[in-house]
Amino acid sequence: MIWRAGTFEWDLSRRCLVMGILNVTPDSFSDGGRFLARDAALDQARAMVREGADILDVGGESTRPGAESVGVDEEMRRVIPVIEAIVKEFPETAVSVDTSKAPVAEAAVAAGAQIINDVTGLTGDSGMVRVAAESKAGLVLMHMQGEPRTMQAAPAYEDPVAEVRAFLECQGRLAMEGGVEQCRLAFDPGIGFGKALSHNLQILHRLDAFQLWDCPVLLGASRKSFIARVLGVEEMEARYWPTVALTAYAVEQGVRIVRVHDVLPNRQAARMIEAVRQAS
Ligand code: HH2
């Protein structure tokens, strides 16, 4: 399995990628405000690269339940200087931009980002396909029911696995019709995005279902609130180790990109699973 993103090319048949989360926002659910200043964001980027991140995912708009959307200018003001600085300092690390706005994605790839991570799976901005196709960036298509402001009000599915898969397949075809190469696509079922606890668990149970064509599956479960609900814990710190367990499980299930806040323990979990798998 080869995944291409801009000038990067990874063979994911034997290893997975760790995508470190860099939220340059005042209001992200687990680290909002910590990395809003450019220097703080760069320090966090350095720490994640040291810990073995393959990709840094830079986002300037929180998509937590209830979050208000941010204008294009403000989102660009937050992410572009950080992307430019990371690309300059760490040319070996791929930068991903977490945005659903085509102008932000376009400016980000011009600044050196190699991946577009679109949590709306191309439904947020009709200009996104063109930006992805022309830039030859990697393109992550994620499923969300509704929009962040209201998505957790009453999520409803008859069959979450089948419906999420059908959406991703449809959006994958749309991307390819628009000129995005299949080898640049990755699919993400969107844990916590318009999904109740039982939907998240059913999706995790069937991660193999989101393997479309030969494209990698990406999972973003890090520190998410369904963990707190399963375990009955309150503090954010109590979600760190359960996230590592989910990473190990996901890699064993064939997930090829894990999007996490805590790079080192998740990297180590992934490596251990890969070592065991390769023994056979
Ligand atoms: N989750 C979040 C944001 N972007 N992108 C992908 N592909 N998959 C995800 O699961 C995903 C994502 C939400 O997490 P976080 O970035 O930590 O928080 P916030 O949206 O509040 O900034």
Side-chain angles (χ1 to χ4, degrees), residues 23 28-29 62-63 98 117 142 188 193 220 224 259 261:
N23 287 319
S28 286
F29 77 91
S62 172
T63 46
D98 185 349
N117 173 20
M142 198 198 80
D188 179 349
F193 283 88
K224 285 191 176 166
R259 181 182 182 277
H261 299 86

Side-chain angles (χ1 to χ4, degrees), residues 19-88:
M19 174 186 262
I21 301 171
L22 189 54
N23 287 319
V24 193
T25 58
D27 56 347
S28 286
F29 77 91
S30 82
D31 53 7
R34 282 188 58 203
F35 311 119
L36 192 53
R38 184 176 165 281
D39 287 350
L42 276 177
D43 282 348
Q44 177 66 357
R46 289 184 190 110
M48 289 196 287
V49 170
R50 258 197 320 273
E51 292 184 5
D54 302 287
I55 301 167
L56 296 178
D57 188 37
V58 183
E61 176 177 56
S62 172
T63 46
R64 76 182 154 73
E68 293 292 336
S69 63
V70 169
V72 170
D73 291 346
E74 174 62 14
E75 199 178 322
M76 283 206 209
R77 200 185 59 73
R78 291 179 188 173
V79 298
I80 302 301
V82 173
I83 291 172
E84 282 170 346
I86 296 173
V87 167
K88 198 163 158 221

Side-chain angles (χ1 to χ4, degrees), residues 120-176:
T120 70
L122 298 178
T123 64
D125 187 330
S126 58
M128 193 62 105
V129 184
R130 181 192 57 78
V131 175
E134 286 178 5
S135 65
K136 295 199 171 292
L139 179 62
V140 179
L141 297 177
M142 198 198 80
H143 173 272
M144 167 170 15
Q145 188 180 85
E147 40 130 359
R149 213 166 40 78
T150 52
M151 66 188 176
Q152 289 307 108
Y157 299 82
E158 273 178 27
D159 181 341
V161 172
E163 287 166 50
V164 170
R165 182 190 156 93
F167 171 85
L168 294 176
E169 191 171 350
C170 175
Q171 299 311 101
R173 285 190 201 285
L174 191 76
M176 288 190 271

